[in-house]
Amino acid sequence: ANKNAICKINKKNNEVKIISHYPNTEMYKNNLSASMQIIGNYIVFTPFSADYIAVYNINNDIVEYVEIDEPSENSGVKYSPNEKFYTSYKYGRCVYFFGWKYPGIIEFNVDTFEAKYICEWVELVREAKGFNSNNSFFNEGVVFFDESLYLPIGCLNGLYVFDLRKKNWEVIVLNGCDQGFWGMARYNENLYLTGINEGLFRFDLVDRSITHVKTPNGMSYRAPICCGDRVLFYRDNMKAYFFHPETEQWEHASIVNKAIHNGDSIANGKYKDGILTISTKKEMTWFKIECKTNHIENAVYVIADKIFLDQCWKVKCKIFDQTRIFNEGDIYLEEFLSYVGS
């Protein structure tokens, strides 16, 4: 979100309560966290632009922050402090954060709050054939198979395999593809990888072969989402499609395209127990789609935070008494207009 806050949502009235703010961080810094993982009574937030791992204790409403170490300067990929980690995965009592532009993986233990840095693999990726320093390390999508994690590599036409039992890793360079990968989803014993530039590829987890799969108009897509017997593919400002792996047929994802309108795009999504949940970028709306009945529920969340509301009131007073023309140094115009409209 475009606000420095850890929030709690009341699902009965869609009201959002802010319970904490990241320390030593400006109030309106963008995209502080990406994904999150729940282990026991802890919710652990993946640090994207944040300088801290945020850990929320559900039992007592307390948030603790663990500062992230500065990375090595010799990673080969152009490091951006506002694009640290995007993908995460929980295993046992640990959360693993996989570097977007951060040259490393963090193993974070929720019992000890210890952060262990795994960086030895970076040199292997950097020296591999086809390495592109302009792209990120790990993009969207992580798959668990045979006690190992599979992740698509953005700066290389390959997969990163991390054995969770032995704590060792492998980089698989894939022939037949001359680009990095944007996202990945699993269907049975196949991985479907979307190329950064174009195309879709199927990787067999058993024999490790790779096959090119035709897409509508030869388009490339972001991270696919496996929805039962179909795989959803989407990209910014374009219609979404369902792909049927058994027949390799494509169809317009009519129910998804119906939910998203006004040129909006999918920010991210998740499928569980027959329900596809997606969020949008522009309108910041959440949709729940029952895939069997095509029933759609949507929700717009409203922030109810005293500090935020007081700030809006002060800006409003300055404008109305003509002592101040609007200044985004006080608050974002989009958030202020949302406040005025409500």
Side-chain angles (χ1 to χ4, degrees):
N2 298 330
K3 185 171 177 64
N4 174 3
I6 301 294
C7 303
K8 181 165 66 174
I9 299 172
N10 185 329
K11 297 181 71 174
K12 292 183 180 179
N13 58 15
N14 293 339
E15 186 176 276
V16 179
K17 178 184 178 182
I18 296 176
I19 57 176
S20 181
H21 300 278
Y22 282 84
N24 307 314
T25 305
E26 56 265 36
M27 191 55 68
Y28 294 101
K29 188 172 183 180
N30 291 341
N31 305 316
L32 284 162
S33 61
S35 54
M36 63 182 74
Q37 301 293 340
I38 301 175
I39 299 181
N41 58 302
Y42 292 111
I43 300 178
V44 184
F45 294 82
T46 303
F48 193 63
S49 69
D51 297 323
Y52 302 84
I53 299 168
V55 185
Y56 170 58
N57 190 320
I58 299 171
N59 293 342
N60 56 22
D61 261 5
I62 292 176
V63 182
E64 296 183 68
Y65 297 91
V66 178
E67 190 168 7
I68 299 169
D69 291 350
E70 284 292 315
S72 167
E73 297 180 357
N74 302 315
S75 67
V77 165
K78 297 176 181 178
Y79 173 63
S80 168
N82 290 325
E83 298 174 307
K84 296 182 182 72
F85 300 88
Y86 190 86
T87 299
S88 62
Y89 193 86
K90 65 177 180 181
Y91 184 79
R93 300 292 290 175
C94 291
V95 176
Y96 291 87
F97 304 112
F98 298 93
W100 181 280
K101 288 296 182 71
Y102 190 100
I105 297 169
I106 294 180
E107 178 189 81
F108 180 76
N109 189 301
V110 298
D111 294 323
T112 64
F113 275 42
E114 178 186 3
K116 179 183 178 181
Y117 292 79
I118 304 170
C119 305
E120 295 86 349
W121 54 271
V122 175
E123 184 177 355
L124 187 62
V125 171
R126 188 178 65 233
E127 294 180 351
K129 182 180 179 180
F131 174 74
N132 184 345
S133 63
N134 293 315
N135 292 339
S136 54
F137 285 109
F138 300 115
N139 287 331
E140 299 184 65
V142 55
V143 166
F144 179 82
F145 177 76
D146 193 25
E147 297 302 318
S148 293
L149 297 181
Y150 288 72
L151 295 102
I153 301 176
C155 58
L156 182 70
N157 53 317
L159 287 169
Y160 177 86
V161 185
F162 182 56
D163 190 317
L164 291 164
R165 292 168 300 187
K166 300 177 182 178
K167 298 296 174 65
N168 57 20
W169 57 88
E170 175 187 8
V171 174
I172 305 174
V173 179
L174 300 174
N175 297 320
C177 175
D178 59 357
Q179 58 186 305
F181 296 109
W182 181 256
M184 179 179 70
R186 177 186 175 185
Y187 179 82
N188 291 337
E189 293 184 342
N190 290 311
L191 302 179
Y192 286 89
L193 299 110
T194 54
I196 287 179
N197 297 321
E198 62 178 347
L200 173 66
F201 300 87
R202 181 177 61 247
F203 176 78
D204 191 307
L205 286 164
V206 178
D207 64 21
R208 294 193 167 186
S209 62
I210 187 168
T211 307
H212 181 264
V213 179
K214 290 184 178 180
T215 62
N217 303 317
M219 298 295 292
S220 177
Y221 297 91
R222 286 189 58 191
I225 304 171
C226 189
C227 305
D229 59 353
R230 303 177 292 180
V231 183
L232 175 68
F233 290 88
Y234 63 91
R235 60 179 291 159
D236 292 348
N237 304 314
M238 296 290 289
K239 296 291 185 182
Y241 284 87
F242 279 123
F243 174 71
H244 296 264
E246 298 297 336
T247 62
E248 296 201 348
Q249 298 298 308
W250 295 83
E251 66 167 320
H252 281 284
S254 303
I255 188 62
V256 177
N257 297 325
K258 179 182 177 181
I260 302 170
H261 51 83
N262 297 330
D264 209 344
S265 303
I266 296 175
N268 50 52
K270 183 177 182 179
Y271 178 85
K272 185 178 181 180
D273 299 329
I275 296 177
L276 173 64
T277 304
I278 56 177
S279 65
T280 62
K281 290 184 177 180
K282 189 179 296 182
E283 296 187 353
M284 292 182 286
T285 303
W286 287 86
F287 292 95
K288 282 188 176 181
I289 302 173
E290 294 183 10
C291 292
K292 287 187 177 180
T293 64
N294 284 343
H295 175 70
I296 302 174
E297 289 184 12
N298 69 295
V300 178
Y301 298 118
V302 179
I303 295 177
D305 172 54
K306 188 177 186 305
I307 297 175
F308 170 73
L309 296 176
D310 286 347
Q311 182 70 3
C312 287
W313 177 257
K314 289 177 183 178
V315 173
K316 179 179 175 181
C317 291
K318 289 178 182 179
I319 293 174
F320 288 158
D321 67 14
Q322 298 182 345
T323 60
R324 171 71 64 85
I325 296 174
F326 190 87
N327 179 1
E328 284 209 338
D330 295 326
I331 191 172
Y332 280 148
L333 177 60
E334 182 180 5
E335 290 194 337
F336 178 71
L337 292 177
S338 173
Y339 159 78
V340 173
S342 63

